[in-house]
Amino acid sequence: AREAETLESIGTQHWTLGDYAAAGSAYEAALAIREELEDRVGISWTNQNLGRLHLSRGDLEGARRRFERALEIEEALGRRGRIADLTAELGSLAHRRGEDAEALERLGRALALHRTTGNRHGEADVQTRLGELRWRRRDFEASLEAYSNAVETLRAVGARGSLSEALRGRGNV
């Protein structure tokens, strides 16, 4: 398990440096170990990282497959917080693919899950994603409302690092 964690960290470092090929190799090696150990939580995390890597390379279909695999595992494990995070990832991805109805459905589901788990930061993250989606659809009133909800929530929980993104989005509206 430690070897997989180390490989995952190496993958993240390569990704940060822009060496996507080396990042992918490290993540795939970590995934192979986690699958051999039947570490479902680790398999989910590595698939999410591979999904994000695919996304950063512009491979939307590859990202979707990885996020879906991670989501399937988390649903089987019943981990609602992770289900909410992955559902939000898939919602944003659907928007990037031009499938806004799916994006709205997934983001709505993620928002509801974050609310039931009490994850206010996750709730604000989804509100920010909804603000961006609504803005790109030129639904400025709904965009402003979503961004404002995100700002209010982030201020309430003291998440100053994420607050700037929500304020920027609200300012763009």
Side-chain angles (χ1 to χ4, degrees):
R2 283 266 194 233
E3 183 180 357
E5 289 172 14
T6 300
L7 285 165
E8 190 104 17
S9 294
I10 290 169
T12 301
Q13 292 304 313
H14 282 297
W15 182 13
T16 302
L17 294 169
D19 188 349
Y20 297 149
S25 294
Y27 286 148
E28 290 291 351
L31 183 60
I33 292 168
R34 289 182 165 167
E35 287 174 340
E36 182 179 321
L37 296 173
E38 298 179 10
D39 173 11
R40 295 190 321 165
V41 170
I43 292 167
S44 171
W45 278 105
T46 304
N47 271 290
Q48 184 176 11
N49 281 334
L50 280 162
R52 289 177 174 164
L53 180 63
H54 282 288
L55 197 57
S56 65
R57 297 170 92 171
D59 178 6
L60 302 184
E61 184 55 31
R64 186 196 61 74
R65 281 192 312 272
R66 294 298 184 159
F67 291 149
E68 288 283 359
R69 174 122 192 265
L71 179 60
E72 182 180 296
I73 292 166
E74 296 299 346
E75 286 176 334
L77 295 173
R79 295 170 27 127
R80 293 185 314 158
R82 292 279 297 140
I83 293 167
D85 291 340
L86 288 158
T87 301
E89 293 265 24
L90 284 159
S92 292
L93 178 59
H95 174 60
R96 283 187 65 178
R97 290 191 336 258
E99 298 171 11
D100 287 349
E102 178 186 341
L104 287 169
E105 185 276 322
R106 286 188 184 269
L107 290 171
R109 179 174 180 233
L111 183 61
L113 281 166
H114 280 307
R115 285 181 174 156
T116 63
T117 62
N119 182 349
R120 306 257 350 255
H121 193 274
E123 181 182 331
D125 171 65
V126 174
Q127 289 284 7
T128 300
R129 292 172 190 247
L130 283 165
E132 180 183 346
L133 186 149
R134 300 281 190 191
W135 184 79
R136 292 193 184 280
R137 292 183 64 160
R138 307 192 65 71
D139 185 352
F140 299 122
E141 189 174 314
S143 176
L144 181 59
E145 181 181 347
Y147 278 127
S148 294
N149 289 339
V151 167
E152 181 182 318
T153 302
L154 290 166
R155 282 188 173 143
V157 299
R160 296 183 65 182
S162 301
L163 184 59
S164 64
E165 183 180 349
L167 285 168
R168 178 197 47 78
R170 188 173 74 174
N172 284 341
V173 179

